[in-house]
Amino acid sequence: MSAYYSREISEFCLEGRFIDFVIKDGYKLKGLLLGTSEGECYVKLAKHLRATFDWRLAPGTWLQVVGQKKHDLKKGEFTFKAERVMAARSEMERVPTITAVQEPPAVDKVKAKTPKTKATILVCQKSDCMKRGGKAVCQALEASLSDRGLEDQVTIKGTGCMKNCKAGPNLVMPDKTRYSRIGAAQVPAIMDKHFADKSIKEQLENPREIVIPVTSFADASS
C-alpha cells in the first residue's frame, strides 16, 4: 500500500486543559500537551503558531484547538497538528466570575489611610487685632516654626473675631491655651513653652482649656 493510502487526513476540533509546552532541543517550541476527557493528548503546533505563541499561558487553561488529524492506518496512530488555538468557550464563560470576586490590591488600602493631623495655632485676623500688631505676630510665629523645624507638624490658621478685640492680638495654641496682647518679641518664649518640653502628639491627645488673663503680658505703657 502506498504512503498516500496508508494515511487518512481529516479536520479536528479538540477541547482540553493546557498541561504544558512540548520543547525540542531545550528551547524550540513544538507543541502543547492537553488533558482531555480521553486522557493526555499531544498537539503539534503549525509553524506560524510556534513563532507567535504566548509563553505566559497558565496551566489548567481550557483551550479549543482546531487543525488537521492524521491517522496512520498501518500503525494505528493519530497525530494532531493545530492551525488555530483559542480559549475554549467554557473557559471564557468563567472569566467574568473570577474577575468579580478578586480582592482589591493592597496598595488601595494604603492610600485610604487618613493623613496625619497637624497641630494648629489660631490667630485672630480681624482689623482690631491686626492694628495692634497681629501681622507681626503671624510673621514671628512662622519664623519660630521654621527655626524649630516644625513646619510639617504645626500650621497657623487665621480666624474671625475672638470677642476680645481691645486685648488684641489674640491667639490660641494647639492645647487651647489662649494668649492676649501678644507682641512679636514674646512669640519665641511662648513657642519654647509649648513645644520644647512636650511633644505635639501629647498636646493633640490631651488638650487643656487654660485662659491666660490679659494682665499676663502687660502693655509697654504699664
Side-chain angles (χ1 to χ4, degrees):
M1 184 181 292
S2 66
Y4 179 81
Y5 290 106
S6 65
R7 293 181 183 177
E8 287 183 351
I9 300 175
S10 60
E11 299 290 325
F12 79 91
C13 180
L14 183 67
E15 284 194 10
R17 285 188 180 275
F18 169 66
I19 297 175
D20 204 352
F21 293 106
V22 177
I23 308 298
K24 183 180 179 181
D25 298 332
Y27 67 96
K28 295 179 182 179
L29 176 61
K30 294 295 290 184
L32 308 176
L33 191 61
L34 300 180
T36 70
S37 59
E38 297 179 359
E40 292 187 3
C41 176
Y42 166 64
V43 180
K44 183 179 179 181
L45 293 175
K47 288 185 178 180
H48 69 277
L49 291 179
R50 298 179 213 167
T52 59
F53 208 86
D54 189 351
W55 287 82
R56 297 170 297 179
L57 183 64
T61 303
W62 275 95
L63 297 178
Q64 183 181 73
V65 182
V66 178
Q68 286 187 342
K69 177 175 68 174
K70 294 181 181 179
H71 182 197
D72 190 320
L73 299 174
K74 190 174 182 179
K75 296 180 179 180
E77 296 177 349
F78 292 91
T79 57
F80 300 89
K81 183 176 181 181
E83 297 292 339
R84 287 187 298 154
V85 178
M86 63 206 83
R89 182 177 300 177
S90 53
E91 178 71 13
M92 294 172 67
E93 289 171 353
R94 280 190 286 272
V95 170
T97 305
I98 295 172
T99 304
V101 297
Q102 286 181 341
E103 289 291 332
V107 67
D108 291 341
K109 297 179 182 178
V110 175
K111 291 179 181 178
K113 289 183 178 179
T114 305
K116 294 181 180 179
T117 304
K118 283 187 176 183
T120 304
I121 299 174
L122 304 177
V123 183
C124 180
Q125 298 287 294
K126 297 300 288 185
S127 58
D128 284 346
C129 283
M130 289 293 101
K131 288 177 183 178
R132 289 177 168 80
K135 184 175 181 180
V137 170
C138 288
Q139 292 173 343
L141 286 169
E142 291 175 353
S144 293
L145 290 177
S146 178
D147 293 342
R148 292 162 177 75
L150 297 173
E151 305 100 313
D152 295 334
Q153 303 176 54
V154 185
T155 184
I156 301 169
K157 181 179 179 181
T159 70
C161 183
M162 293 185 179
K163 308 299 180 183
N164 199 15
C165 301
K166 293 182 179 180
N170 294 288
L171 63 86
V172 179
M173 299 302 287
D175 64 356
K176 306 302 181 183
T177 302
R178 177 176 292 187
Y179 291 93
S180 299
R181 295 188 181 182
I182 297 301
Q186 296 167 313
V187 168
I190 294 173
M191 295 295 289
D192 288 339
K193 178 180 178 181
H194 286 270
F195 299 114
D197 299 328
K198 60 180 66 179
S199 67
I200 296 171
K201 183 178 179 181
E202 285 181 335
Q203 294 192 40
L204 292 174
E205 293 179 349
N206 304 294
R208 297 181 295 120
E209 278 288 353
I210 301 176
V211 178
I212 304 299
V214 173
T215 56
S216 295
F217 295 93
D219 288 328
S221 60
S222 62

